């Protein structure tokens, strides 16, 4: 087979262990999954109502234009319908953007660590990847700007950044955008937008900067991760250029229905955001009491330096039925990224971290036994 050279070295995305997998492997009954930043409070009950009233046949393809969802989202955001593109999660949108703009000879600029699919898709397309290390969890925008040249096609920004949770104020974003060449697409990934305490109106910037594309999702704040519905907002011209790279019927009928119903319940999202804010403050207090450094987060996750090998820490918690994400695979080798769960779930995590600290103090070599 004449594979692309880069395909011989790339690894497929490695998801965390599933709840059922952990139950089988560790002989546990009660598992708490806090590794993938799903909404611990579920989703709006309006979604179930809409799904229970689904009257179409599964033998038909879904609406390829997602027209009902398109109309509701456009009204919700106060944008034109032609400014929206709907995708199978934002992962697919990253893939579409990369496919449309990147090729050998082109380059893309991004922070590191950040969402790994930006780099993954750029490598597949044969483009040069220019990574600029974050500083205290924040994008180093001045160095990212310096990395742009005539062959730069895409700049990736992630706000709040995954895995650090740091939010980029609009003043910084505007200053950056003022200096980016107009023929370079800047993608602002706002997957965790619904969790930001007091978010800026980033959509207003599209009228000012036509080279801006904003991505959002129904997977996080809306709690619809398994339905895989993401979307992008930009100028109608940019969207029209991206659409030919979008696979037909890429969002399924039930996902479109669930997402449209979720928009009817902003109170659910507000309640989730408030509960998340209250619980993250408890993590801050816990870390401060125990001398653990962390990044102040505007997402529904927190990256904590547990002062030991991140893989070891994740495995230690896993054996107690707590699935978290090791920082070792995220660029922070002594950290763990923990989804902020419910009150009871977070108390379990903090108790387990207490045990971990005691264990490491007694066995510095990191023996799990």
């Amino acid at each position: 087979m004449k594979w692309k050279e880069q395909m011989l070295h790339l690894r497929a995305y490695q998801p965390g262990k599933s709840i059922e997998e952990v139950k089988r492997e560790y002989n546990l009954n009660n598992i708490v999954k806090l590794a993938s930043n799903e909404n611990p409070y579920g989703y709006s009950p309006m979604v179930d109502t809409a799904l229970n009233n689904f009257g179409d046949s599964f033998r038909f393809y879904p609406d390829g234009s997602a027209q009902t969802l398109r109309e509701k989202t456009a009204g919700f955001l106060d944008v034109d319908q032609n400014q929206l593109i709907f995708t199978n999660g934002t992962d697919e949108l990253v893939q579409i953007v990369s496919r449309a703009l990147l090729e050998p000879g082109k380059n893309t600029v991004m922070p590191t660590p950040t969402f790994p699919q930006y780099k993954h898709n750029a490598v597949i397309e044969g483009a040069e990847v220019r990574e600029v290390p974050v500083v205290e969890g924040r994008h180093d925008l001045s160095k990212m700007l310096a990395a742009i040249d005539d062959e730069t096609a895409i700049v990736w920004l992630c706000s709040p950044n995954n895995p650090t949770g740091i939010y980029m104020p609009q003043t910084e974003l505007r200053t950056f955008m003022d200096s980016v060449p107009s023929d370079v697409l800047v993608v602002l990934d706002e997957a965790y937008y619904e969790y930001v305490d007091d978010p800026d109106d980033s959509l207003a910037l599209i009228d000012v900067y036509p080279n801006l594309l904003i991505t959002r999702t129904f997977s996080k704040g809306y709690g619809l991760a398994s339905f895989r519905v993401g979307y992008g907002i930009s100028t109608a011209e940019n969207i029209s250029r991206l659409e030919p790279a979008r696979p037909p019927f890429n969002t399924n009928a039930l996902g479109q229905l669930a997402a449209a119903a979720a928009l009817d319940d902003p109170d659910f999202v507000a309640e989730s955001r408030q509960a998340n804010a209250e619980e993250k403050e408890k993590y801050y207090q816990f870390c401060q009491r125990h001398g653990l450094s962390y990044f102040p987060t505007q997402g529904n996750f927190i990256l904590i330096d547990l002062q030991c090998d991140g893989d070891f820490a994740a495995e230690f918690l896993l054996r107690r039925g707590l699935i978290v994400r090791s920082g070792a695979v995220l660029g922070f080798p002594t950290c763990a990224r923990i989804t902020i769960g419910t009150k009871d779930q977070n108390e379990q995590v903090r108790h387990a971290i207490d045990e971990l600290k005691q264990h490491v103090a007694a066995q510095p070599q990191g023996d799990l036994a």
Side-chain angles (χ1 to χ4, degrees):
M1 297 293 182
K2 298 180 180 179
W3 300 103
K4 289 182 177 180
E5 177 65 24
Q6 56 267 37
M7 300 306 295
L8 303 178
H9 308 289
L10 281 175
R11 292 182 61 194
Y13 178 75
Q14 300 296 313
K17 292 180 181 288
S18 68
I19 290 175
E20 291 305 315
E21 185 180 358
V22 173
K23 283 183 177 180
R24 290 193 304 269
E25 185 173 344
Y26 294 88
N27 195 28
L28 297 169
N29 293 320
N30 298 315
I31 307 297
V32 176
K33 184 171 182 282
L34 298 172
S36 301
N37 305 336
E38 294 120 335
N39 190 330
Y41 305 103
Y43 52 84
S44 167
M46 291 186 181
V47 172
D48 280 334
T49 299
L51 294 175
N52 289 335
N53 292 327
F54 180 74
D56 290 338
S57 171
F58 291 122
R59 73 179 184 272
F60 297 122
Y61 285 109
D63 177 2
S65 65
Q67 190 57 39
T68 298
L69 177 58
R70 180 179 299 276
E71 292 174 1
K72 293 195 75 168
T73 305
F76 183 79
L77 299 177
D78 193 23
V79 299
D80 189 271
Q81 294 180 33
N82 294 326
Q83 291 183 258
L84 298 170
I85 183 171
F86 291 92
T87 54
N88 184 17
T90 49
D91 301 87
E92 186 186 48
L93 184 51
V94 172
Q95 183 183 58
I96 289 171
V97 171
S98 300
R99 186 179 183 188
L101 288 162
L102 297 179
E103 60 186 348
K106 300 293 184 182
N107 70 70
T108 178
V109 177
M110 63 193 68
T112 185
T114 193
F115 186 51
Q117 292 302 298
Y118 310 148
K119 179 178 181 178
H120 185 89
N121 282 283
V123 171
I124 290 175
E125 299 303 330
E128 177 191 354
V129 177
R130 297 182 176 179
E131 297 179 284
V132 178
V134 299
V135 178
E136 297 182 349
R138 299 178 181 278
H139 293 39
D140 190 337
L141 293 177
S142 61
K143 289 188 177 179
M144 290 182 69
L145 192 63
I148 298 172
D149 64 17
D150 290 343
E151 302 306 321
T152 303
I154 310 171
V155 174
W156 299 94
L157 306 176
C158 188
S159 179
N161 187 40
N162 178 12
T164 62
I166 301 295
Y167 179 70
M168 184 186 303
Q170 192 169 116
T171 51
E172 294 181 13
L173 178 59
R174 280 181 172 270
T175 299
F176 179 76
M177 292 296 300
D178 284 341
S179 299
V180 174
S182 60
D183 61 346
V184 175
L185 182 69
V186 177
V187 182
L188 177 61
D189 185 342
E190 293 188 331
Y192 298 93
Y193 177 82
E194 286 76 21
Y195 286 104
V196 178
D197 292 333
D198 186 20
D200 297 315
D201 181 15
S202 55
L203 297 181
L205 298 182
I206 293 173
D207 290 334
V208 182
Y209 306 104
N211 58 327
L212 178 65
L213 169 71
I214 296 171
T215 75
R216 293 185 184 174
T217 182
F218 287 93
S219 295
K220 305 302 183 182
Y222 289 97
L224 300 177
S226 68
F227 286 100
R228 311 305 298 127
V229 182
Y231 61 102
I233 316 106
S234 189
T235 64
E237 180 180 358
N238 288 339
I239 297 300
S240 70
R241 297 296 185 188
L242 290 174
E243 279 288 352
R246 179 180 65 82
F249 311 114
N250 61 325
T251 55
N252 66 78
L254 295 181
Q256 293 177 26
L257 184 64
L263 288 175
D264 288 331
D265 194 359
D267 289 344
F268 171 79
V269 176
E271 290 164 4
S272 294
R273 179 172 55 250
Q274 179 60 34
N276 183 76
E278 293 172 1
E279 289 300 314
K280 76 179 178 183
E281 285 296 330
K282 295 177 185 178
Y283 270 111
Y284 292 170
Q285 295 167 14
F286 172 84
C287 290
Q288 291 160 10
R289 287 197 307 269
H290 290 80
L292 299 174
S293 61
Y294 63 93
F295 290 106
T297 179
Q298 287 292 318
N300 67 331
F301 57 88
I302 184 168
L303 187 69
I304 302 176
D305 188 346
L306 298 176
Q307 302 171 349
C308 65
D309 179 77
D311 288 343
F312 175 85
E315 179 69 17
F316 187 92
L317 269 62
L318 192 59
R319 289 171 180 245
R320 285 148 183 79
L322 301 166
I323 309 175
V324 302
R325 189 74 159 161
S326 168
V329 297
L330 304 173
F332 294 91
T334 61
C335 296
R337 191 195 67 192
I338 304 166
T339 302
I340 299 171
T342 64
K343 176 182 177 181
D344 290 344
Q345 291 171 345
N346 297 328
E347 288 176 352
Q348 290 181 57
V349 171
R350 291 191 288 267
H351 178 72
I353 293 176
D354 274 334
E355 289 185 335
L356 172 65
K357 286 176 60 65
Q358 295 171 22
H359 183 92
V360 171
Q363 302 186 51
Q365 299 303 315
D367 184 6
L368 278 167

